[in-house]
Amino acid sequence: MPGAISGLKVLRWAVLKNLDNGNLTASQITALHELVAVQGATGDAWVIKEKLRWIQKAPTPRAARWRITNYLKVMQATVSEKPLLKPMGKALTTLERHAEQVVRRWISGLTNARLEGM
C-alpha cells in the first residue's frame, strides 16, 4: 500500500504543475499518462485545464477567438458525457458568455494580475 500512496503524491504534484514548463519528472509524466488513459472524470478535468492554457498562448486576437470557439465545442461535448464534470460545464458556459472580453486581453495587453496580486 505504501507504493499507492507515493503514486498518489506523484500524481498530485504532476497535476499541479504546468505541463509546458518541462519541470515534470519521469514518474510524474507516467502518472499523467495513466490518469488520462483511465478516461475518468479527473483525467478529463485535467485535460480541460491544460487545453485552456492552449488558448492563453494564442499569438493574435483572431487566433484566440478561433481557439476559444474550438475549445468550447470540443470540451462541452466532453463535459456533457460525464455528470461529475458538471461544474466544469458551468465554467465553459462562463467562458462562452465572456469570450469577447477574454479576446480583448490580446488587444489591450492588460490582465487582472495586479488586482489578483493585491
Side-chain angles (χ1 to χ4, degrees), residues 102-115:
V102 172
V103 171
R104 282 190 213 145
R105 173 232 180 242
W106 278 266
I107 297 167
S108 71
L110 300 175
T111 68
N112 65 344
R114 288 186 182 173
L115 180 63

Side-chain angles (χ1 to χ4, degrees), residues 23-112:
N23 61 353
L24 292 169
T25 65
S27 59
Q28 289 172 336
I29 292 170
T30 302
L32 288 173
H33 284 299
E34 290 172 3
L35 177 68
V36 173
V38 171
Q39 296 181 343
T42 304
D44 288 342
W46 180 78
V47 168
I48 290 169
K49 175 194 70 104
E50 285 300 312
K51 296 282 185 188
L52 193 56
R53 292 180 194 270
W54 173 65
I55 295 171
Q56 290 179 308
K57 294 177 184 171
T60 65
R62 183 176 181 187
R65 192 174 288 114
W66 181 85
R67 287 180 181 197
I68 289 170
T69 302
N70 286 298
Y71 173 82
L72 288 170
K73 188 184 318 176
V74 172
M75 295 306 147
Q76 285 172 338
T78 301
V79 166
S80 67
E81 295 171 1
K82 298 195 177 178
L84 287 175
L85 295 176
K86 189 174 183 178
M88 296 204 86
K90 290 180 183 178
L92 293 173
T93 302
T94 301
L95 175 60
E96 184 175 29
R97 191 172 51 241
H98 298 288
E100 281 308 309
Q101 290 89 337
V102 172
V103 171
R104 282 190 213 145
R105 173 232 180 242
W106 278 266
I107 297 167
S108 71
L110 300 175
T111 68
N112 65 344

Side-chain angles (χ1 to χ4, degrees), residues 13-31:
W13 289 109
V15 169
L16 292 174
K17 288 183 177 181
N18 184 348
L19 186 62
D20 298 331
N21 283 351
N23 61 353
L24 292 169
T25 65
S27 59
Q28 289 172 336
I29 292 170
T30 302

